[in-house]
Amino acid sequence: MDILIYGTINSMALALMALGFALVYGISRIPNFAHGALYVISGFVTWGFVRALGVNYLLSVFLTMIIIGVVGALIYRFILIRVRGMAISEIIASYAIGLAILEGLRWGGFKGMTYTLPVFVEGSVDIAEIPVDFHRLVVVGIGVAVVAFLWLFTHHTRIGLALRGMAQDERAALMLGIDSDLMAVVAMALGSMLAGLAAILLLPLGNIVVEAGYNVLILAIAVCIVGGLGSWMGAVLAAFLIGFAQILTVTYLGSHYQMVVALLAIIFTLILRPSGLFGQQKELEERV
Amino acid sequence: MLEATGLMVFYENMLALNNVSISCENNQIVGVFGANSAGKSTLMYTLSGIMEDIKKKEDMAGRERITVLGAIKYLGKDIMGLKPSQRARQGIILCPERRRIFPESTVLENLRIGGYLASPPQKKESLEYVFRIFPALEKIKKRVGGFLSGGEQQMLAIGRALMAQPRLLLLDEPLLGLSPLIQVLLVRSVKEIRDERGVSIIVTEQYARPVLPIVDYAFILENGANTGGAIGQP
């Protein structure tokens, strides 16, 4: 039973980490290797508002989301736009940005145990005799809400539909008057906001450390590769697959194997089904 | 309405369009006929601005050097160098060769993506119009774009372009690979669109015969050049 409960929570956390990455890749085909750095910055920005400036927690969450969205948009507008379409350069550029941010933070002295965020709701509740704290339930709730919001956004709004059009065929979208650079900026801003949201939700469960940036990046990439790069629903399902696999390893093998699971998942997916669980795009193309 | 003069397009040193001039008046259907590799699609890409985007991407990746020369006047203004999205905003909409349907979206979603530039009332009105001229689409509106037949895809592609509120519709090989029966149906719809929506249309084809009855004026491209052979009066 505890496997079920903690598996679900862990899976939702993974999904939150990965959605931003999946969204940006799905729309602009840019693998945003600065994703982990954006995640960590959001943690420190929120910390700055809450602990250093003493702003109300909800307000600082709101402000952080806006700031990180703008940061993401600026990264695209001034740096990534120049290397768009060249896969290797995209990876190098975005990874360099991520490294610069993370190591810059480390150099600036943001390390140690002093950086923590408050949880949303204190206390815990027993579900089937297993104690679960309220904050983890909030994580699951907001995770579900985010997935639902993304689905509605991409199926029923003008911008969301345009984003999907661009994800499928950029040139056809151009012909219909959809500006691809504008859409990529929007995608990058949304993806960064999702990274920020994940950070705000997940960081209160531990300390804010710079290393989290690298772990989040690897987990996000693992989830996206297993789910099929560019497929958001695939990413959510893959998050559950890896999430439960991780909890099972923790229970039966030991917690230090947790990261190995994600990396093994990448290797096995690439061997068995390189397009991922939901890489249907190729199949469709062959049929037409 | 549209007047392009002296268009030259080079891919590196290969001449794809050689001094091509074309004009299209209000409410006219203009045909462009030519064999494979005559430069029809290049012409369409140049008029709609997609060539600017291709050029930008090639430049950035350091691949082929593309040069575009000449002048394109649309509604009295020079639009050379405008981005494709800006040209689309002014009403130049390209319905591309091989249709380029969004394969993972349903028919209805394809049409709604097409309505990106339209206001909500325009979108509603255009959607009704598309379903009226292509009733076949309404029956399959929940089906995914990738699973449509060629004829259905072409109807969807034209419908999607109509959703973008065109004033000048560029149809690139709309009859490619379709059965004669569907060809006749599509040609009739194209004429209807012109008559009922007041849209000017430039249509390219390899086989002139099915399109000939509806064009007001047509000319022939050969090896990227306007042969001077023309049908009808400009």
Side-chain angles (χ1 to χ4, degrees):
Chain A
M1 194 62 196
D2 55 343
I3 290 177
L4 192 67
I5 290 171
Y6 277 93
T8 311
I9 293 166
N10 190 34
S11 309
M12 220 59 223
L14 280 177
L16 279 168
M17 288 178 200
L19 270 174
F21 188 88
L23 187 87
V24 174
Y25 186 81
I27 291 159
S28 53
R29 302 284 142 181
I30 291 178
N32 179 19
F33 277 67
H35 189 74
L38 291 168
Y39 175 92
V40 171
I41 297 191
S42 323
F44 280 117
V45 170
T46 322
W47 179 87
F49 277 125
V50 176
R51 300 281 198 226
L53 297 174
V55 182
N56 172 291
Y57 193 23
L58 261 180
L59 181 67
S60 43
V61 166
F62 188 65
L63 287 174
T64 308
M65 298 277 285
I66 292 177
I67 290 175
I68 206 69
V70 171
V71 168
L74 290 178
I75 288 178
Y76 179 80
R77 183 64 191 78
F78 287 105
I79 301 170
L80 293 181
I81 200 170
R82 294 164 193 277
V83 292
R84 175 100 191 282
M86 287 173 284
I88 301 292
S89 311
E90 282 169 354
I91 293 176
I92 294 173
S94 59
Y95 194 63
I97 297 167
L99 264 184
I101 292 173
L102 288 177
E103 296 308 318
L105 283 172
R106 199 202 299 276
W107 177 74
F110 287 95
K111 56 184 180 218
M113 305 300 266
T114 49
Y115 301 100
T116 54
L117 288 177
V119 294
F120 284 176
V121 201
E122 298 278 351
S124 63
V125 65
D126 286 358
I127 301 175
E129 286 160 26
I130 294 150
V132 182
D133 44 354
F134 280 125
H135 188 85
R136 289 191 158 81
L137 292 180
V138 171
V139 168
V140 174
I142 295 188
V144 172
V146 164
V147 172
F149 165 79
L150 274 183
W151 192 88
L152 284 175
F153 175 71
T154 53
H155 284 76
H156 291 285
T157 63
R158 175 171 164 265
I159 300 282
L161 280 166
L163 286 173
R164 275 178 72 208
M166 200 184 121
Q168 292 175 54
D169 188 337
E170 188 184 332
R171 198 170 289 166
L174 278 175
M175 292 164 192
L176 298 166
I178 297 168
D179 188 333
S180 60
D181 282 329
L182 182 70
M183 286 302 136
V185 167
V186 172
M188 191 68 191
L190 260 178
S192 313
M193 284 169 90
L194 283 172
L197 184 70
I200 291 161
L201 283 169
L202 302 176
L203 286 176
L205 299 171
N207 290 315
I208 314 177
V209 286
V210 170
E211 287 73 25
Y214 299 107
N215 291 343
V216 165
L217 179 62
I218 292 173
L219 287 171
I221 291 174
V223 167
C224 289
I225 287 180
V226 172
L229 274 166
S231 158
W232 320 340
M233 283 304 144
V236 174
L237 279 174
F240 273 82
L241 208 68
I242 296 181
F244 274 94
Q246 276 189 336
I247 292 297
L248 284 171
T249 11
V250 169
T251 324
Y252 294 111
L253 281 175
S255 57
H256 49 282
Y257 287 108
Q258 208 173 2
M259 210 63 200
V260 178
V261 174
L263 296 172
L264 277 179
I266 297 184
I267 294 172
F268 279 117
T269 315
L270 290 181
I271 294 172
L272 296 173
R273 205 182 144 84
S275 56
L277 288 178
F278 281 78
Q280 329 162 301
Q281 220 165 342
K282 294 247 165 56
E283 283 168 38
L284 262 178
E285 264 164 28
E286 276 157 26
R287 283 195 58 147
V288 175
Chain B
M1 181 167 213
L2 179 108
E3 193 172 358
T5 41
L7 286 180
M8 309 260 269
V9 176
F10 294 88
Y11 296 109
E12 289 288 346
N13 294 327
M14 208 252 319
L15 187 56
L17 279 187
N18 184 6
N19 204 10
V20 170
S21 300
I22 174 175
S23 69
C24 177
E25 294 304 318
N26 256 331
N27 233 358
Q28 246 184 358
I29 299 182
V30 173
V32 178
F33 303 123
N36 249 342
S37 85
K40 300 187 301 294
S41 291
T42 305
L43 175 65
M44 289 310 222
Y45 281 159
T46 310
L47 292 180
S48 65
I50 299 295
M51 195 52 87
E52 296 294 317
D53 187 65
I54 299 176
K55 190 177 149 191
K56 197 180 79 185
K57 294 226 161 80
E58 294 283 316
D59 274 352
M60 218 154 55
R63 287 191 297 255
E64 265 184 340
R65 200 155 34 92
I66 299 175
T67 320
V68 183
L69 302 170
I72 307 173
K73 273 189 124 172
Y74 172 70
L75 299 173
K77 274 184 302 228
D78 184 30
I79 57 163
M80 204 72 184
L82 282 189
K83 286 203 292 186
S85 57
Q86 288 167 315
R87 297 192 201 189
R89 216 166 270 278
Q90 296 186 22
I92 303 181
I93 304 292
L94 172 63
C95 174
E97 186 187 0
R98 305 199 168 276
R99 324 185 247 276
R100 302 189 87 127
I101 293 299
F102 300 121
E104 289 159 60
S105 295
T106 64
V107 168
L108 190 60
E109 280 169 350
N110 263 285
L111 292 171
R112 284 169 59 202
I113 295 173
Y116 177 74
L117 290 177
S119 65
Q122 278 175 333
K123 222 181 280 189
K124 192 158 168 283
E125 189 268 338
S126 305
L127 194 65
E128 276 166 17
Y129 181 75
V130 169
F131 283 152
R132 192 162 67 73
I133 53 168
F134 298 127
L137 286 183
E138 186 157 25
K139 287 186 208 117
I140 52 167
K141 66 180 177 188
K142 292 261 187 273
R143 204 176 299 167
V144 175
F147 291 122
L148 300 184
S149 72
E152 289 163 344
Q153 286 197 11
Q154 189 60 54
M155 291 181 208
L156 180 55
I158 296 178
R160 190 179 64 178
L162 282 181
M163 292 293 291
Q165 313 300 320
R167 295 169 73 177
L168 173 65
L169 183 61
L170 307 174
L171 293 173
D172 199 359
E173 303 212 26
L175 306 182
L176 185 74
L178 301 181
S179 73
L181 214 63
I182 304 221
Q183 289 190 350
V184 170
L185 188 142
L186 278 172
V187 166
R188 204 183 304 141
S189 316
V190 169
K191 187 169 184 317
E192 251 178 63
I193 290 167
R194 192 272 307 264
D195 293 343
E196 291 169 17
R197 310 282 286 185
V199 178
S200 312
I201 296 171
I202 300 179
V203 53
T204 71
E205 261 309 319
Q206 290 198 30
Y207 302 105
R209 193 174 293 277
V211 194
L212 265 185
I214 61 163
V215 297
D216 296 304
Y217 174 71
F219 68 96
I220 293 147
L221 275 184
E222 203 171 351
N223 283 330
N226 194 340
T227 55
I231 304 152
Q233 288 298 312

